[in-house]
Amino acid sequence: MGVPLRKNVQFQLLWFGGAVSQLGTQLTTVAVPLLLYAVTGSIFWAGVVAGVRTAALVLTQMPAGVWVDRWDRGKVLVRSQTTQAVAVAAMAVNVVTGANSVLVFVVLAAVDGACTAFTGPARTAAVKAVVPPEQLKTAYAQEEARGHVAWLAGPPIGALLFGLGRAVPFLADALSFLVAAVCAWCAKIPPRAGEQPRQRMHHDLRDAWRWLWRRRGLRNLVAVFLALNLLGSAGLLPVMALVKERGGADWLVGLVLTGIGVGGVLGAVLSPRVTAAPGRLLVAVLTLFGACNIAMVLPFGAWWPFVPLMLTAIGTPLLNVSVNSVFTAMVPDELMGRMDAVLTFFTRAVTPAAPVLGAFVAGLAGAGVALALFGALILVTAVVAAFTDLRTTVPR
């Protein structure tokens, strides 16, 4: 019998650092749109900043995966999170000085996105290194709970801190990244055994692509995720705009977004008990997402999107825990960084356009029309997925 996950100090340090940094990130997820809306009078620039961050993440993702497999994954975590702390602190300076330069936000968002491209694969490789295979599902359930608690607490706290001072959420986020970097350093992630000779980068990436291409079910699963991430991400800014269109105050925007946290925590608690295959779960979650997007436009007041957001979020951790635990168990340790990067690249390849698309459609036709349109497209994706091979097999 191995050490219980709750006594696994290395994993718990990684988890705590990730929890603090995710909470900090949620503070600025609310603060940036509120600030740019106040400065420019338009939600469009918030979409541009979010899109640039995602674009930087996607463009950096593939080389980052190769370097994570070559370098010390613990040091990668420490350095990337320290750099993020500096970038967010610079955002705070931009606000404190009264400059409020949109260009500064765009540049620093790109830096943050590039660092996240390193943090993701390094964190996935670190979790695989310190958690036994039989505990991976429980570990990822705890990871999901962390993220959704951040969604639950972050938006209202972010809106509150923004009310106290426009720079306060950014200062708190910078501190959160420093805490995460210290936790990663204290975790002392073990180095990878049996380092392979370095090849040219395109050869390293080719090995990862070949591994994925030979697994048809996983390949199709990733393609459906691409569509889900585009349409799901495009709906977030229209939700915020819908609350504002219905007369909601800034604090109500934050409160509505806590629906994601409430549902996510419930889903994370349930996720270890769900035994359905990832493919079946994906079809069910797509159907839930599409129906809830359309339900948001019902005329029940500015607070109403909280309910469908909560229901949607219940399905997210069920799917994420199932897919992540299967994926981590399937991938060889020496490919972990590259495969995490490849899958993240695949599923996020079109998401830089998502916030811009959401803001554009909401500005053109209204937030309600945008949400209904994205919901209908998600339901179409669910029908396609139902007739697609999404089987995955974990080696025994």
Side-chain angles (χ1 to χ4, degrees):
M1 180 70 69
V3 177
L5 189 64
R6 67 179 182 278
K7 295 183 179 180
N8 185 329
V9 176
Q10 291 173 299
F11 173 73
Q12 296 303 337
L13 278 169
L14 286 174
W15 181 87
F16 179 76
V20 174
S21 71
Q22 275 197 305
L23 177 61
T25 298
Q26 290 308 315
L27 302 181
T28 51
T29 296
V30 173
V32 169
L34 290 178
L35 177 65
L36 292 177
Y37 186 82
V39 171
T40 68
S42 171
I43 198 70
F44 175 75
W45 285 109
V48 171
V49 170
V52 167
R53 179 188 182 279
T54 307
L57 190 159
V58 171
L59 292 173
T60 312
Q61 194 75 69
M62 302 296 277
V66 173
W67 286 325
V68 166
D69 280 340
R70 293 179 179 180
W71 297 342
D72 185 309
R73 45 207 169 187
K75 290 181 180 178
V76 171
L77 274 176
V78 172
R79 291 168 182 171
S80 59
Q81 290 170 333
T82 301
T83 304
Q84 286 175 295
V86 173
V88 179
M91 289 186 186
V93 172
N94 183 37
V95 178
V96 168
T97 58
N100 294 323
S101 169
V102 175
L103 178 61
V104 169
F105 276 107
V106 169
V107 172
L108 294 175
V111 172
D112 182 60
C115 289
T116 302
F118 284 88
T119 302
R123 183 176 181 82
T124 301
V127 169
K128 184 178 178 68
V130 301
V131 177
E134 64 274 11
Q135 294 180 349
L136 282 172
K137 194 166 188 179
T138 304
Y140 277 115
Q142 187 173 327
E143 290 276 283
E144 281 292 314
R146 175 202 72 199
H148 289 286
V149 167
W151 262 107
L152 177 61
I157 295 175
L160 176 64
L161 294 179
F162 184 78
L164 295 176
R166 290 181 173 180
V168 176
F170 300 97
L171 293 171
D173 191 17
L175 179 61
S176 76
F177 279 121
L178 284 178
V179 171
V182 171
C183 287
W185 180 78
C186 292
K188 305 297 180 185
I189 306 303
R192 187 177 294 102
E195 294 286 348
Q196 294 182 338
R198 295 185 180 183
Q199 312 175 79
R200 291 180 180 271
M201 182 172 289
H202 71 273
H203 289 154
D204 281 338
L205 289 173
R206 184 183 61 192
D207 292 341
W209 285 104
R210 282 179 175 174
W211 187 92
L212 177 62
W213 185 257
R214 292 169 182 165
R215 287 151 182 85
R216 180 180 177 185
L218 184 59
R219 213 171 63 218
N220 292 338
L221 198 71
V222 170
V224 177
F225 259 112
L226 187 150
L228 175 59
N229 283 346
L230 171 64
L231 298 171
S233 299
L236 186 58
L237 285 176
V239 169
M240 299 174 69
L242 183 65
V243 176
K244 297 294 289 183
E245 285 177 7
R246 292 178 175 179
D250 289 345
W251 65 265
L252 186 58
V253 174
L255 183 62
V256 166
L257 292 180
T258 63
I260 298 173
V262 173
V265 171
L266 293 174
V269 171
L270 295 172
S271 57
R273 300 174 177 83
V274 174
T275 58
R280 292 182 179 180
L281 270 178
L282 180 56
V283 174
V285 169
L286 280 165
T287 304
L288 177 66
F289 270 43
C292 286
N293 258 45
I294 294 172
M296 286 184 202
V297 305
L298 295 174
F300 295 148
W303 61 272
W304 166 248
F306 173 92
V307 177
L309 273 180
M310 180 184 68
L311 294 176
T312 298
I314 291 175
T316 303
L318 301 182
L319 180 61
N320 287 346
V321 169
S322 176
V323 172
N324 286 337
S325 57
V326 168
F327 160 71
T328 305
M330 288 176 68
V331 178
D333 187 54
E334 66 272 13
L335 284 176
M336 199 70 237
R338 280 166 286 172
M339 282 310 307
D340 183 87
V342 165
L343 293 185
T344 302
F345 176 84
F346 249 131
T347 55
R348 292 183 176 179
V350 294
T351 52
V356 179
L357 175 64
F360 175 75
V361 177
L364 185 67
V369 172
L371 289 168
L373 174 62
F374 297 144
L377 292 173
I378 291 172
L379 289 177
V380 171
T381 306
V383 173
V384 173
F387 294 95
T388 303
D389 179 7
L390 300 174
R391 291 173 293 179
T392 56
T393 303
V394 179
R396 297 186 181 277

